[in-house]
Amino acid sequence: MTIYFSTITWNLITSYYDYLPFYGAGLMTASEPWSGYYVVESPIWATAHTTQFTSVGWKYLRHGAGIGKLNGGGSHVALISPDRKNITIIIETMSCSGSLYANRFSPNYTVIPQQLLIDLKGSFAGITQLNTWYSRPGHSDDNLFIKKSPIILTNGQGQLDIGVDEVWTLTTINTGVKGSFPSPPASAEFPLPYSDNFESYKPGVEPYNLVPQAGSFETFKSTDANHSIVIRQTVLEDPLHWCPFTIDFPVAVIGNHSWADIYIECDVRIGNVNNTDGAFIAARVTQGGCQAFEAEGVYFFIFPSTNTIKLSNDLAQTQVVFKGSFTGFKEWNKLSLAVHGQVATTMINGQTVITQNITGTAKDGFAGLGTSSFGLADFDNLKIMNVDSGIKRMKQVKILKDTKLFFIADNL
């Protein structure tokens, strides 16, 4: 019986922000395109335990004759070359606590140090030694993909003492090598001030640095000469999902999770066809992934069809601290949000509409933008800067109209 397997690694390279779910779970981490910093993670060497000693066409042996569980915990698999002249055995004894990204629903299990008997039979019984490679992931880079002394076999048999949280390769292949790489550039924080008018992008691509957590944000060719290439949230209905809770609010985050006092500005348009009912910009966004539905922060919502504005301490709008009416909406509206300590100030088209004490628990988090429901909305001319520069910018563009009422606070 022929047995074929494949391994799916998600993700190959972690290229999203720290503090988002499963950060660092890839073979490498490269999440700072502005600095070029990267990390070669231990899974890349764990993968090498298989890929350096097999090739396309190799086949796994069957369960009970090359594949199985170890008595002291752990598992082993064996693969043979198409000509049946070479064999590679991979053994792992990763503990539950040592498996950093183990599924949270996985049952607890025990792994202990043990001595293994290697017993090659059939055409492989005449093999006199197996080359060995060793890793102990999660402990030290010095313990990753290390060539050890060969195991000497007599009549196809030999022994191997193996500990906990180890990966071993036993193989007849002698071409394995641990590659080298240059030292990466120094790590650096997300650069401020930051701006993007998206004009350098082709339509239909994801913009740099903006990381969707729900919905899809991609570049779109607009017919507006002043907004040629924009970012459009394109998902119209709640998609199939694997999260335990539905996330009804498309949201994308950007920047640094440690941002506390920050200024964000963006032009927003909500159309009349397949549109969402509202859009927002945000600061101090605390969570992403499946937990995005309960993300806290400071969210400035606009609802042009009902002339409504809101300031909320959470994405789901269960902690609204301000709700009012605004009558000055245009087709495109420039939203501004400055958060300094426990005070948030917002503007629409250069007019201050809210200055409000915020009572939420979020002290820091990402900047963000999104929509209040699935449907089309466009974003353009994104700017982020430190709050002092942002407040200075707000003062420069502020338009004072003492005789006109721009908002009316509801009783909350």
Side-chain angles (χ1 to χ4, degrees):
M1 179 176 63
T2 301
I3 304 175
Y4 295 97
F5 287 96
S6 65
T7 298
I8 298 175
T9 300
W10 181 93
N11 39 67
L12 289 177
I13 299 181
T14 299
S15 292
Y16 46 86
Y17 299 120
D18 196 0
Y19 285 92
L20 292 177
F22 301 108
Y23 183 78
L27 301 184
M28 295 178 61
T29 296
S31 58
E32 297 181 7
W34 53 87
S35 71
Y37 176 74
Y38 65 90
V39 179
V40 178
E41 304 284 2
S42 60
I44 204 166
W45 302 118
T47 302
H49 274 273
T50 297
T51 58
Q52 287 214 20
F53 309 105
T54 61
S55 187
V56 175
W58 283 54
K59 299 175 182 178
Y60 282 90
L61 297 178
R62 62 180 175 84
H63 285 263
I67 295 178
K69 295 181 179 180
L70 303 178
N71 291 334
S75 65
H76 63 91
V77 297
L79 300 94
I80 59 174
S81 60
D83 60 7
R84 297 180 175 270
K85 293 182 179 180
N86 288 293
I87 186 170
T88 291
I89 304 168
I90 303 101
I91 304 166
E92 62 80 26
T93 57
M94 297 305 298
S95 64
C96 189
S97 60
S99 300
L100 181 60
Y101 295 105
N103 190 305
R104 65 182 183 275
F105 300 114
S106 298
N108 289 325
Y109 56 89
T110 301
V111 181
I112 60 174
Q114 51 200 299
Q115 186 176 80
L116 305 183
L117 172 65
I118 311 301
D119 187 9
L120 302 183
K121 297 183 180 297
S123 61
F124 297 108
I127 294 174
T128 59
Q129 72 172 35
L130 291 171
N131 300 310
T132 63
W133 290 79
Y134 166 84
S135 292
R136 194 169 186 227
H139 293 270
S140 170
D141 289 347
D142 295 335
N143 288 324
L144 295 174
F145 206 60
I146 306 302
K147 184 173 177 58
K148 297 284 191 177
S149 299
I151 295 177
I152 305 302
L153 304 178
T154 302
N155 298 324
Q157 292 188 340
Q159 291 183 337
L160 174 67
D161 292 320
I162 188 168
V164 178
D165 291 335
E166 295 182 351
V167 180
W168 287 81
T169 294
L170 318 180
T171 182
T172 55
I173 300 298
N174 56 17
T175 56
V177 60
K178 183 174 183 178
S180 61
F181 52 91
S183 297
S187 176
E189 293 188 354
F190 190 97
L192 290 178
Y194 175 84
S195 65
D196 198 342
N197 61 11
F198 310 111
E199 295 301 315
S200 63
Y201 298 90
K202 296 179 180 179
V205 300
E206 294 183 351
Y208 297 133
N209 302 316
L210 199 62
V211 183
Q213 302 304 295
S216 178
F217 296 79
E218 61 185 58
T219 53
F220 176 78
K221 177 65 175 176
S222 171
T223 58
D224 189 328
N226 295 321
H227 300 272
S228 178
I229 300 293
V230 302
I231 298 300
R232 170 164 288 187
Q233 197 299 113
T234 61
V235 179
L236 303 181
E237 298 179 1
D238 183 17
L240 296 176
H241 57 86
W242 54 86
C243 295
F245 302 98
T246 301
I247 304 173
D248 294 324
F249 323 103
V251 55
V253 298
I254 186 171
N256 193 319
H257 191 272
S258 66
W259 284 346
D261 296 343
I262 201 72
Y263 172 86
I264 178 172
E265 171 186 307
C266 192
D267 297 344
V268 178
R269 176 177 63 182
I270 299 175
N272 298 316
V273 179
N274 291 329
N275 58 290
T276 180
D277 58 349
F280 65 85
I281 58 174
R284 300 182 182 176
V285 179
T286 59
Q287 298 187 77
C290 286
Q291 286 70 47
F293 79 99
E294 59 183 5
E296 296 188 334
V298 183
Y299 299 80
F300 176 34
F301 287 88
I302 63 167
F303 302 87
S305 63
T306 59
N307 293 326
T308 303
I309 57 176
K310 290 182 183 179
L311 192 69
S312 178
N313 284 331
D314 68 334
L315 176 61
Q317 301 176 62
T318 65
Q319 303 177 40
V320 175
V321 296
F322 180 94
K323 180 180 179 182
S325 174
F326 177 78
T327 58
F329 287 114
K330 303 176 182 179
E331 179 182 5
W332 279 96
N333 297 280
K334 184 178 293 293
L335 307 187
S336 305
L337 169 65
V339 179
H340 187 268
Q342 293 301 110
V343 177
T345 301
T346 72
M347 300 180 76
I348 301 176
N349 302 326
Q351 301 166 4
T352 301
V353 293
I354 302 173
T355 298
Q356 177 74 35
N357 289 327
I358 48 179
T359 58
T361 59
K363 303 303 181 184
D364 49 35
F366 299 108
L369 55 81
T371 58
S372 60
S373 62
F374 289 103
L376 303 182
D378 296 335
F379 303 85
D380 199 9
N381 296 322
L382 175 64
K383 291 181 173 63
I384 307 171
M385 59 191 74
N386 66 61
V387 71
D388 291 336
S389 298
I391 291 175
K392 182 178 179 180
R393 177 176 173 82
M394 296 175 93
K395 290 179 179 178
Q396 290 173 341
V397 302
K398 184 177 181 180
I399 301 173
L400 297 176
K401 293 187 178 180
D402 295 334
T403 60
K404 186 171 182 179
L405 184 63
F406 287 100
F407 64 87
I408 304 171
D410 291 341
N411 292 323
L412 298 178

